[in-house]
Amino acid sequence: MAAVHQALHRRVSSLACRLHSTYVRKMSFLFPFPCCSETRQVLEKLQEAEQWMEKSVLIGCSDEHRARFALDLGALDKSVIESELQGSFTDLRKALFVVDGKDSPLLASAQSLLRWHDSHQYCSKTGQPTEKNPAGSKRVCHASGVTYYPQVSPVVITLVSDGSRCLLARQPSFPPGMFTALSGFCDLGENVEEAVRREVAEEVGLEVESLRYSASQHWPFPSSSLMIACHALVGAQRAEISLDTLELEEARWFGLEEVVEGLKREPSSSKQDDDSFFCPKKERTELSGGGEGKSKTAHEHFRRPQLMQR
């Protein structure tokens, strides 16, 4: 009897927690999900509105319990859409730096999921067309019974420090003067720690003595990636940089004051002085904590550059 009572108590407690959980309540609103009447009104002024609505994918739920969808309208007349919505299309990389912080993950998720559906329209086993489920969370080949799910590639992005300075680098493709943290994709079979040590060794020839996880963020370039940000410490007596010139153009050590100035500085269209640099940034995005005093300030400033290199 006591065992039955305990089981019932756990069941009721679990149910109560779920009812009071904002996340669980939000998820319950997604299935089944309604059509977006606002989007339909816009598409009805274009051709084949129903076909485009069927291609939509579900990317989440708002705090107001409204389902959020994404549509790829690249094949439609952009001028008509811009006129209806009183806006204009822009490059996604630029958009991620100008939209509200809550909207950036939506744009990244939408772009990644839509690109995945576009590149997985046929089964790799049979060559037959695959079909998207209503939510867009998977594709199925009915000829073979194979189900395909979107995959995410883990990427480590690391702020290297020798205790008093941090190391930043740049690639030839970067805008003049721009420096960011080191990053690279995890190889098969690697864990995060191994990937960080390998990337730092390969790119700048330094040996990581210790490291810690900082934060993570989805990043849609070049494909769907999970950026895993870490802080890595190298020995101050063994901090001589050995640059991998095949991947990097330059790597340098920067002090705290230089970093703060670099974060304040805007990109320049002309060639900057050798001692002048800037870091990509976005208005405060709360991704990770930091230490005390100046260290905390430096960590706060580096939250976006750490996660936005590629």
Side-chain angles (χ1 to χ4, degrees), residues 155 157 213-219 226-230 287-288 307:
V155 178
I157 182 161
Y213 166 79
S214 176
S216 64
Q217 175 182 318
H218 177 256
W219 188 236
L226 177 64
M227 304 291 283
I228 305 169
C230 297
L287 290 174
S288 65
L307 300 176

Side-chain angles (χ1 to χ4, degrees), residues 3-281:
V4 174
H5 176 75
Q6 291 177 357
L8 180 61
H9 177 73
R10 288 195 297 267
R11 179 71 174 177
V12 172
S13 298
S14 176
L15 179 60
C17 290
R18 290 175 64 85
L19 289 175
H20 287 84
S21 170
T22 302
Y23 183 82
V24 174
R25 289 183 62 194
K26 285 169 61 175
M27 294 303 101
S28 67
F29 277 84
L30 298 181
F31 305 100
F33 45 83
C35 290
C36 180
S37 58
E38 296 93 336
T39 304
R40 186 178 294 278
Q41 290 175 3
V42 175
L43 293 178
E44 283 177 349
K45 299 181 180 181
L46 305 169
Q47 295 181 352
E48 302 177 334
E50 286 297 331
Q51 174 185 338
W52 289 104
M53 289 299 293
E54 291 178 359
K55 293 181 179 181
S56 66
V57 295
L58 181 67
I59 56 173
C61 178
S62 70
D63 292 336
E64 294 76 27
H65 302 139
R66 299 184 63 184
R68 287 169 167 167
F69 300 86
L71 278 173
D72 183 357
L73 304 180
L76 301 181
D77 189 337
K78 293 183 180 179
S79 61
V80 175
I81 300 176
E82 290 177 335
S83 176
E84 287 294 328
L85 300 179
Q86 298 183 353
S88 60
F89 286 93
T90 187
D91 180 78
L92 180 61
R93 285 183 180 268
K94 296 179 181 178
L96 289 175
F97 281 87
V98 298
V99 300
D100 184 85
K102 293 183 178 180
D103 293 331
S104 294
L106 291 176
L107 289 177
S109 298
Q111 195 266 3
S112 296
L113 190 53
L114 290 172
R115 177 183 290 181
W116 179 81
H117 279 287
D118 183 62
S119 61
H120 287 76
Q121 297 184 36
Y122 295 91
C123 176
S124 60
K125 183 177 181 179
T126 65
Q128 296 299 309
T130 58
E131 183 178 340
K132 177 182 76 68
N133 69 329
S137 59
K138 62 183 179 181
R139 299 189 71 90
V140 179
C141 173
H142 295 291
S144 64
V146 175
T147 301
Y148 294 92
Y149 296 94
Q151 295 182 338
V152 176
S153 300
V155 178
V156 293
I157 182 161
T158 308
L159 185 62
V160 179
S161 171
D162 67 352
S164 61
R165 303 173 297 173
C166 66
L167 186 147
L168 301 174
R170 58 174 282 105
Q171 297 177 352
S173 59
F174 285 5
M178 174 177 149
F179 282 76
T180 68
L182 302 178
S183 68
F185 286 90
C186 295
D187 284 345
L188 287 175
E190 279 187 331
N191 58 34
V192 171
E193 293 82 0
E194 291 170 339
V196 168
R197 296 179 189 279
R198 175 183 54 77
E199 283 293 335
V200 173
E202 288 179 352
E203 295 188 356
V204 292
L206 298 178
E207 184 173 348
V208 172
E209 293 184 349
S210 63
L211 62 94
R212 64 178 176 85
Y213 166 79
S214 176
S216 64
Q217 175 182 318
H218 177 256
W219 188 236
F221 305 107
S223 57
S224 183
S225 304
L226 177 64
M227 304 291 283
I228 305 169
C230 297
H231 290 270
L233 182 65
V234 299
Q237 305 302 320
R238 305 171 65 181
E240 182 177 352
I241 298 172
S242 177
L243 192 68
D244 177 9
T245 56
L246 294 178
E247 185 167 352
L248 298 178
E249 181 179 75
E250 185 179 359
R252 290 159 49 190
W253 288 105
F254 295 89
L256 175 60
E257 293 183 359
E258 293 178 286
V259 171
V260 173
E261 288 301 316
L263 286 162
K264 293 178 181 178
R265 191 173 294 116
E266 297 296 329
S268 173
S269 57
S270 59
K271 183 175 178 60
Q272 301 187 19
D273 297 333
D274 292 340
D275 296 331
S276 178
F277 80 102
F278 78 94
C279 294
K281 61 183 181 296

